[in-house]
Amino acid sequence: MNHPAAKLKTLDEALAQLLGCAEPLAAAETVSTFDADHRVLARDAVSGLQVPPLDNSAMDGYALRCAEVPVAGAVLPVSQRIPAGSTGTALAAGTAARIFTGAPVPEGADAVVMQEDCELLDDGRIRVRSVPTPGQSIRRAGEDVALGATVLAQGTRLTPAALGMAASIGLAELTVARRPRVALFSTGDELVMPGEVPPAQMRPGAIYNSNRFFLRALLQRMGCEVSDLGIVPDRLDATVQALRSAAQGHDLVLTSGGVSVGEEDHVKPAVQALGQLELWQIAIKPGKPFAYGSIPGGDGAACHFIGLPGNPVSSLVTFLMLVRPFLLQLQGAAHTAPAVVHLPAAFEWKRADRRREFLRARRNAEGALELFPNQSSGVLTSVAWSDGLVDTPAGQPIARGDTVRFLPFEDLWG
C-alpha cells in the first residue's frame, strides 16, 4: 500500500542503509596504466624514485652563480651547453651554462636566468640584464614526489591526471578493483526497442525503452561489466525466472520499472519470493518507488538487487543519487558523494514538496541557474536540456537570488 511521505525513508537514511550493504568486492586485478582510467585503485601507488630526480631548469636560459651577477648588465662567457636529457659538468667559475627546460642544473650554479633576460653578444658571451636570486627558475629534486611517497592512495578513482602521475614514477601497471558485474533488464509490456517498430507504427500505449539506454551507458561509465538482458514481460512468473537467472554470476541485478504498487508491478513480490527486500519507498521527488534487496546467486553468494522506477527521470535520479555511490563503494572508492556547487537561483520555486526534490536546471551566462519549465518525472527532455540537479530540501521554496545546492552532471555522469 501507499505510505504517507512523512513515514518514508529519507534519502540520507536510504543511502546509509544501501552503503552499509555494499561490501567492497574482494577481488582485484592488474591492468595497464593506459587502460586504468575511471578504475578504482586497490593498492597504494608508491614512488620508487624522487621527481624530479635532480635539480633542473624550469625554463630555457642560462645557469649561473648569483654572486657573479651583482648588478644588471654583467657579462659572462658561456662555458657549456646542457640540453634536456644530458648532464653537464660542474660550472666553471665566472661562466654561465646554456641550459634548456628540464635539463639538470650543473653543480655550482644556484640560479637560472631565462633567455629573454639575457643578451647574446657577438663574441658568444651573454649580458645578464637582471639580477638573479638564489633558486630562481630551479625545480628542486623531489619537490614533486619524494622517494617512498604514496602518490595515489588506495580507493582513488583514477583520472587522466592520475594516470600521468603513475607513469611519472614508472608504473606501467596498476592494481585496481574488479569491475562490478551488473545484470540489467527492464519490465513492462508497453516497452518497445528503438529500431524494432517505426514511430508511425507504434501500437497505442507503447513507448520506446529509453531507460535501458541511459542506464547501460551510466553503468559502463561507472566501470561495470554489463549484461543486458532486455525486456521482461509484466508477469510474475517471468519476473521470478529473470531474476533467478540474472543473479547467477553477477554482483548486482538492476531493473527499471515494476517497483511501484500497481497490479502489474511484479518486481517486489518476485524478489521477495527469491530472497529479501530491505528497502522500499523513499522520500525524494522524482524517484519515490525504489527497491533494494538480495537474491541468492551462484556458489551460495547473495547477489544485490536494486529496482528503479519506470519513469525515465525518476529512474535517472535514483541511479545518480543511490546506485552511483553504491557501485563506487563496491569498488572500494574512498569518495562516493557527488560534487556540490553553490549557485544563485535565477528562478522561483514556490511548489515546495514534502519530499526532498531534485530539479533539473542549467547555468546561464551569468553563472546563475535557470529551471526547465516542466519538472515532470516523465519528461526526459528536462535532463537533456539541463546540466545538473538543484538539490532542494523538503518543504523549502526557492526565491530568485537564493543560493542553492547544485549537483553538476559533469561529475555525476561518471
Side-chain angles (χ1 to χ4, degrees):
M1 68 177 183
N2 285 315
H3 301 283
K7 295 183 180 180
L8 305 182
K9 287 184 180 292
T10 67
L11 177 58
D12 290 342
E13 291 169 341
L15 181 58
Q17 185 169 347
L18 193 62
L19 293 182
C21 298
E23 186 71 24
L25 301 172
E29 59 183 345
T30 300
V31 300
S32 166
T33 302
F34 276 122
D35 300 324
D37 190 31
H38 276 172
R39 302 294 294 273
V40 176
L41 201 60
R43 183 183 301 161
D44 290 347
V46 178
S47 180
L49 75 165
Q50 60 182 8
V51 181
L54 299 169
D55 290 357
N56 70 89
S57 179
M59 58 186 57
D60 295 347
Y62 294 87
L64 45 73
R65 291 179 177 86
C66 293
E68 295 174 347
V69 187
V71 294
V75 175
L76 297 172
V78 178
S79 58
Q80 59 179 307
R81 184 177 185 272
I82 313 173
S86 299
T87 301
T89 59
L91 185 64
T95 71
R98 178 71 165 121
I99 196 167
F100 295 87
T101 303
V105 175
E107 181 183 347
D110 60 4
V112 173
V113 179
M114 64 179 179
Q115 61 190 17
E116 291 83 357
D117 286 342
C118 298
E119 178 186 357
L120 182 61
L121 304 178
D122 292 341
D123 61 4
R125 297 182 299 166
I126 59 164
R127 178 177 288 116
V128 184
R129 294 191 293 234
S130 63
V131 178
T133 57
Q136 175 179 311
S137 299
I138 294 177
R139 295 184 293 212
R140 295 301 182 187
E143 74 174 26
D144 187 6
V145 179
L147 175 65
T150 298
V151 299
L152 298 168
Q154 177 181 343
T156 298
R157 193 155 183 242
L158 297 167
T159 63
L163 301 186
M165 191 73 250
S168 76
I169 60 171
L171 298 181
E173 297 180 327
L174 294 168
T175 302
V176 296
R178 174 175 66 76
R179 294 182 184 274
R181 298 167 301 195
V182 181
L184 172 68
F185 67 82
S186 306
T187 65
D189 291 340
E190 75 279 12
L191 298 177
V192 175
M193 285 299 293
E196 293 181 352
V197 180
Q201 298 177 19
M202 289 279 279
R203 68 183 186 275
I207 57 173
Y208 287 121
N209 187 0
S210 60
N211 295 18
R212 186 167 159 192
F213 285 81
F214 65 70
L215 290 175
R216 179 170 169 173
L218 285 167
L219 288 168
Q220 289 171 334
R221 288 189 177 203
M222 293 301 302
C224 301
E225 293 180 3
V226 183
S227 301
D228 190 336
L229 304 183
I231 301 171
V232 174
D234 274 335
R235 301 195 318 271
L236 180 59
D237 62 332
T239 306
V240 169
Q241 179 54 41
L243 289 169
R244 181 184 291 115
S245 176
Q248 308 305 307
H250 292 96
D251 304 299
L252 169 66
V253 176
L254 181 68
T255 67
S256 173
V259 296
S260 192
V261 291
E263 293 180 5
E264 300 303 319
D265 294 324
H266 300 300
V267 172
K268 180 182 177 182
V271 174
Q272 291 173 323
L274 294 169
Q276 56 183 343
L277 202 66
E278 299 173 9
L279 281 178
W280 187 222
Q281 295 185 333
I282 53 177
I284 64 171
K285 181 181 181 181
K288 177 182 173 184
F290 176 89
Y292 170 76
S294 61
I295 307 167
D299 301 324
C303 176
H304 298 286
F305 165 80
I306 293 179
L308 302 178
N311 278 331
V313 183
S314 299
S315 186
L316 182 72
V317 168
T318 49
F319 184 99
L320 296 177
M321 295 300 103
L322 291 160
V323 182
R324 179 183 181 275
F326 180 84
L327 290 170
L328 286 174
Q329 182 141 315
L330 277 187
Q331 296 173 77
H335 303 289
T336 62
V340 178
V341 182
H342 293 90
L343 295 173
F347 64 88
E348 291 186 346
W349 187 250
K350 298 179 180 179
R351 306 191 300 273
D353 198 88
R354 291 182 297 172
R355 291 173 283 166
R356 183 172 172 180
E357 199 159 5
F358 292 90
L359 307 173
R360 280 75 73 200
R362 71 180 180 192
R363 288 163 282 203
N364 61 22
E366 289 74 40
L369 294 170
E370 297 178 348
L371 204 63
F372 192 78
N374 188 339
Q375 292 289 318
S376 168
S377 63
V379 179
L380 199 54
T381 310
S382 67
V383 180
W385 175 91
S386 304
D387 57 18
L389 302 170
V390 176
D391 181 1
T392 308
Q396 180 173 306
I398 298 172
R400 188 177 300 271
D402 285 353
T403 298
V404 297
R405 284 169 47 91
F406 184 62
L407 312 179
F409 282 145
E410 61 196 29
D411 177 72
L412 291 170
W413 287 152

